[in-house]
Amino acid sequence: MAEIEMWTDQSLQAFAAMARLQINDAARLWLRAAAIVEAAPSPASSLAASRSNVGVAHTILGNANEARHAFREAEKGWRLVVAGIATLDIPMTGATSFHFRLATKVPHALIEARRQRYRQLAEAALSITRFNRLLIDAGDPASEIVTLQARDLRAMLREILGASSPEVRLLATAAEQAADASVFSSYAAKAADFANRQHTLSTALSEDCAALETAVALTALLGPQTFSAVRHLRETEKARSEIGMQH
């Protein structure tokens, strides 16, 4: 689908812009990407991921109410995706000879194992969206509830996405150290990680599975330290703008 390819490209550009600290550009790219999928027949997972990223975009732009609304809509979308895993088109063929033999002898076991994997991925994206909204609602990224939820989310994502995933690394830094611009390096790793896997998605999986994996991979996590850094950058830009107006 051409629209999904465009959405994917715009979303990747947004991650790259975040890595360069061009946060307003990233926000505009995520909003532009959302307009593409909302205007076309799109997989539920793509819509959920896009709406979650819209929430991140509005967070960057300082639009708290719009961010909350977008995150709530994204949560609804991801819950529908999780529920829909039961009917997801799961390919029976295995990647190895062992899996192929297993698929021919006990196809249900192989399919259910894969179905559980996709359910976990969708639940990870749902948790990312909920955590992003928590940052808006809590206001203070160093608060106890954010710290506790960040710890729990990190443990969950480590199990589902892997210990070296950009999301896990993004949650590793303490919120009080967030002013350092290096926290944005995880977004460069995110774009690179997706680019490395993008070539295999369409050939290794069914179209539905590929769409889901892509959507989960492109769901942006803010993280406490990034939230603080974004707010710091926004306040700095505002101060510079006001100084410029005075002169």
Side-chain angles (χ1 to χ4, degrees):
M1 226 191 302
E3 290 85 3
I4 295 301
E5 291 178 3
M6 290 170 62
W7 173 73
T8 299
D9 181 64
Q10 296 282 302
S11 300
L12 284 172
Q13 287 187 45
F15 283 113
M18 285 288 282
R20 296 191 300 268
L21 276 68
Q22 297 170 343
I23 59 173
N24 289 332
D25 288 345
R28 283 190 286 269
L29 284 161
W30 272 317
L31 292 174
R32 194 181 305 158
I36 293 170
V37 292
E38 294 287 352
S42 303
S45 55
S46 302
L47 288 168
S50 183
R51 289 165 184 170
S52 186
N53 291 347
V54 165
V56 173
H58 282 302
T59 301
I60 289 171
L61 298 173
N63 305 325
N65 290 334
E66 289 89 341
R68 287 190 185 94
H69 175 74
F71 287 137
R72 282 195 294 267
E73 290 301 306
E75 285 182 42
K76 291 178 188 175
W78 279 121
R79 285 197 295 269
L80 288 174
V81 172
V82 171
I85 298 296
T87 57
L88 183 69
D89 177 25
I90 305 289
M92 280 185 59
T93 55
T96 66
S97 58
F98 169 77
H99 285 130
F100 181 78
R101 290 194 299 273
L102 180 63
T104 57
K105 293 179 180 179
V106 279
H108 179 75
L110 177 62
I111 290 174
E112 282 308 305
R114 289 183 172 181
R115 198 179 300 283
Q116 177 60 18
R117 169 61 180 164
Y118 291 120
R119 186 176 290 111
Q120 288 178 333
L121 287 173
E123 288 172 348
L126 173 59
S127 295
I128 286 172
T129 299
R130 285 174 172 162
F131 185 78
N132 286 341
R133 183 161 71 92
L134 173 64
L135 288 170
I136 293 288
D137 290 339
D140 178 10
S143 67
E144 183 178 3
I145 186 170
V146 170
T147 301
L148 291 173
Q149 290 295 322
R151 184 190 64 193
D152 291 347
L153 179 61
R154 187 184 176 204
M156 176 192 188
L157 296 182
R158 186 190 297 116
E159 182 177 337
I160 297 173
L161 303 181
S164 62
S165 67
E167 289 81 3
V168 170
R169 281 181 281 167
L170 193 64
L171 290 166
T173 309
E176 55 268 21
Q177 298 173 346
D180 190 340
S182 66
V183 300
F184 290 94
S185 63
S186 291
Y187 295 103
K190 179 78 169 169
D193 178 64
F194 183 83
N196 290 335
R197 294 190 298 114
Q198 193 173 11
H199 302 295
T200 61
L201 281 175
S202 59
T203 56
L205 305 165
S206 72
E207 191 172 310
D208 288 347
C209 292
L212 175 57
E213 287 214 32
T214 297
V216 172
L218 294 179
T219 299
L221 170 65
L222 267 177
Q225 67 279 30
T226 319
F227 181 80
S228 290
V230 162
R231 189 162 58 185
H232 176 73
L233 284 171
R234 195 170 66 239
E235 290 170 354
T236 301
E237 288 180 0
K238 182 179 178 182
R240 286 174 180 168
S241 177
E242 289 174 352
I243 292 172
M245 289 175 66
Q246 291 172 6
H247 289 80

